[in-house]
Amino acid sequence: MHQLNDQGRLVVPLRTRGMTRSIAFVRDDHRLVSDGVELCGFVPMQGAGESRMRVALIHDVRDEEIGMRLDDLPEPPHATSCRSL
């Protein structure tokens, strides 16, 4: 945060609940405060810079599945309960 000047803005793409949002942060003394949120989309990297996303099932009951999406994970935590997307 110390690299962001007083009038600077940090824009971060965050994915929550399957939707990507672009969240803008401004510096407020010694903390970052969001001053704007927009729905957006980003094209995933392809080729050598590509990162894979995996889903780790943490509750594997038919019609009640609960999963956790994991980015940039070289090995799934439990190979039998993960699938690549």
Side-chain angles (χ1 to χ4, degrees):
M1 183 177 76
H2 63 279
Q3 294 177 349
L4 188 63
N5 74 26
D6 291 337
Q7 289 75 40
R9 173 172 293 188
L10 177 65
V11 180
V12 180
L14 295 175
R15 186 173 49 236
T16 57
R17 297 185 178 171
M19 301 293 294
T20 303
R21 291 169 178 83
S22 174
I23 303 178
F25 294 95
V26 294
R27 188 173 179 172
D28 180 19
D29 201 19
H30 297 291
R31 63 187 181 144
L32 294 175
V33 177
S34 173
D35 74 341
V37 177
E38 295 286 335
L39 286 175
C40 64
F42 288 86
V43 177
M45 293 290 292
Q46 297 180 12
E50 177 182 19
S51 64
R52 303 292 303 202
M53 181 174 41
R54 299 181 188 273
V55 175
L57 293 177
I58 55 178
H59 180 73
D60 192 10
V61 175
R62 186 180 170 98
D63 298 325
E64 297 180 6
E65 295 90 354
I66 298 173
M68 184 169 52
R69 294 179 190 270
L70 305 166
D71 293 328
D72 292 326
L73 188 67
E75 290 290 325
H78 304 288
T80 58
S81 64
C82 289
R83 60 185 167 85
S84 294
L85 296 179

